[in-house]
Amino acid sequence: MSRLWSPHIESMKREQIEEMQTELLKKQLNYVYHRAPFYQKLYKKSGVKPDDVKNINDLQKLPLTKTGDLQAEMKETGDEYSGRLCVPESELLAVYGPNQHPMPENPLITGITDSDRNTIIQHLARNLIMSGIYSGDTIQSLCWAWEPFNRVYMAANLLISPSVSEILGITPVTLEIIPLEAPRTFATARLLKPSLIIADIGHLTQLAAICQQNNISPEEIGYKTIILKEQRILSEKETKEVSEKWKAKVHNMLAVQDNMLYAEDCNIHNGLHIWEDAFIPEIVDEETGEKVGEGEAGKLAITNLFAKGNPMIRYLINITAKIEKTPCNCGRTHSRLKPQ
Ligand SMILES: [Zn+2]
């Protein structure tokens, strides 16, 4: 069995996971219904009430949350949170937009509370342990300065929860992702010799070009592990190519930061684990909202069970995938997302 950050949660039996999800789902539905005008309108329009959902299979009685509907709400009401902010704005620790450049028109704005940040920190700690990180390691992580992914590394006097760096005992070097940033990543890596980098394929390609200009091979940088943080699930061919070029272990992290999800593959590399004590993943027909058959491919919809700031229920993501629910050989029992 692999090392696990929260063994009692990560290796829970399926029945226990689903029992936990049912309780959290009921609470979260009541929470958003009474606090988020967007959900109150959406559910009233479709004639369902939170109390109609008695278990996780009833979730499909609820309509999907679609980006277009949120953007329309924003335009209609002028509310930058599209009617889904559940706490007073003063309780938000950070507010961020989509991880896209250039920023799309009517971007979805997401706010996180300190409690949200604390949960995301626990998820990233699980992910980093799953990637083989040890206390004392230095890691390089590329992320936008304002996104929660960056903020989870930072400690600040005003924050209550300890950062992921503090709980794991690692040294993070965070860098902004801008197209010309690769020389800085290169220089920092040569100086600090991080064992792991979190970046996207585009940045690694630029970094490989800088290596070539400096007459060194990518493997001489010395990364043992590369986490490819993308807004999609990579194919085996893509991760293999990166692994061969850099002579490193490669993991794929799917980031859906609008809904605070970071799913990643373990050392078995047989799908991306989704932390089901915090999310309910569904594979659905995007038109009808119904779940597809067990093991079939469809669009991914994610229900966030923990967030207090901007939780989203059945948030439809433009990713085609399958879900595998059988326990993984790594010892974890949480579902795995697989590409079609
Ligand atoms: Zn696994």
Side-chain angles (χ1 to χ4, degrees):
M1 185 144 139
S2 318
R3 281 189 310 143
L4 310 184
W5 174 251
S6 308
H8 59 294
I9 296 172
E10 292 176 58
S11 60
M12 262 178 155
K13 290 202 168 69
R14 175 117 317 258
E15 310 83 73
Q16 284 176 301
I17 292 178
E18 293 187 356
E19 240 169 68
M20 190 178 185
Q21 285 177 323
T22 300
E23 288 315 305
L24 292 171
L25 176 63
K26 286 182 192 166
K27 276 189 198 149
Q28 190 72 314
L29 287 179
N30 271 297
Y31 182 81
V32 299
Y33 189 78
H34 292 108
R35 289 172 179 244
F38 172 80
Y39 280 108
Q40 199 164 88
K41 268 194 250 176
L42 184 73
Y43 294 163
K44 277 189 175 158
K45 205 169 129 193
S46 61
V48 279
K49 289 200 181 71
D51 290 346
D52 296 335
V53 176
K54 311 269 187 232
N55 57 54
I56 53 172
N57 284 325
D58 287 344
L59 195 53
Q60 55 183 335
K61 291 180 180 169
L62 301 172
L64 296 167
T65 302
K66 296 182 176 176
T67 306
D69 294 342
L70 292 167
Q71 286 168 328
E73 175 78 13
M74 191 191 298
K75 230 172 161 180
E76 195 187 309
T77 61
D79 174 10
E80 65 269 39
Y81 297 98
S82 351
R84 67 203 159 91
L85 183 62
C86 292
V87 293
E89 214 171 3
S90 57
E91 284 182 26
L92 293 178
L93 173 73
V95 175
Y96 55 91
N99 201 354
Q100 286 167 30
H101 185 74
M103 192 77 103
E105 209 185 325
N106 300 318
L108 288 194
I109 302 296
T110 304
I112 59 167
T113 64
D114 188 65
S115 124
D116 297 342
R117 171 185 176 271
N118 202 13
T119 307
I120 300 168
I121 284 168
Q122 289 298 320
H123 295 167
L124 290 180
R126 294 181 199 172
N127 288 7
L128 286 171
I129 292 290
M130 193 157 75
S131 313
I133 202 84
Y134 282 89
S135 178
D137 283 350
T138 296
I139 75 164
Q140 241 178 343
S141 178
L142 285 103
C143 47
W144 300 97
W146 58 80
E147 67 164 302
F149 199 72
N150 188 341
R151 286 170 190 270
V152 297
Y153 294 117
M154 305 303 176
N157 292 338
L158 290 172
L159 304 177
I160 303 157
S161 46
S163 68
V164 76
S165 327
E166 286 166 335
I167 62 173
L168 288 182
I170 54 172
T171 306
V173 187
T174 58
L175 303 165
E176 262 292 283
I177 305 171
I178 51 170
L180 297 174
E181 203 49 35
R184 194 151 75 102
T185 309
F186 177 82
T188 317
R190 295 297 276 167
L191 197 66
L192 300 172
K193 303 190 174 31
S195 57
L196 178 148
I197 184 169
I198 305 176
D200 58 22
I201 289 186
H203 192 86
L204 277 182
T205 307
Q206 291 163 13
L207 193 55
I210 304 291
C211 290
Q212 201 174 16
Q213 282 168 24
N214 286 275
N215 296 317
I216 71 161
S217 68
E219 75 173 285
E220 281 175 78
I221 293 269
Y223 297 128
K224 289 193 193 100
T225 308
I226 294 172
I227 299 178
L228 295 170
K229 179 169 161 258
E230 301 277 349
Q231 293 173 56
R232 62 194 181 93
I233 305 173
L234 299 173
S235 67
E236 208 174 300
K237 184 171 169 271
E238 286 172 298
T239 52
K240 203 173 161 205
E241 270 172 21
V242 175
S243 175
E244 281 169 3
K245 186 167 197 168
W246 293 82
K247 304 277 184 290
K249 283 189 304 158
V250 173
H251 295 259
N252 176 199
M253 183 189 283
L254 168 69
V256 182
Q257 67 173 48
D258 296 336
N259 214 7
M260 299 159 218
L261 170 90
Y262 297 97
E264 194 187 317
D265 53 337
C266 63
N267 58 327
I268 309 289
H269 305 293
N270 188 17
L272 280 54
H273 284 287
I274 288 196
W275 304 121
E276 288 187 277
D277 55 319
F279 297 96
I280 300 179
E282 295 173 281
I283 300 296
V284 300
D285 177 318
E286 62 182 319
E287 298 304 327
T288 64
E290 282 171 23
K291 282 210 283 188
V292 301
E294 194 82 33
E296 282 178 32
K299 291 285 181 201
L300 178 63
I302 294 288
T303 293
N304 181 311
L305 297 172
F306 72 88
K308 295 280 172 266
N310 281 142
M312 288 201 275
I313 310 297
R314 305 199 86 205
Y315 179 47
L316 183 69
I317 297 152
N318 191 22
I319 286 177
T320 305
K322 291 187 283 195
I323 289 181
E324 176 77 55
K325 284 188 178 172
T326 53
C328 180
N329 289 341
C330 69
R332 295 175 184 86
T333 48
H334 294 228
S335 290
R336 284 159 290 143
L337 270 184
K338 292 180 161 184
Q340 194 181 2

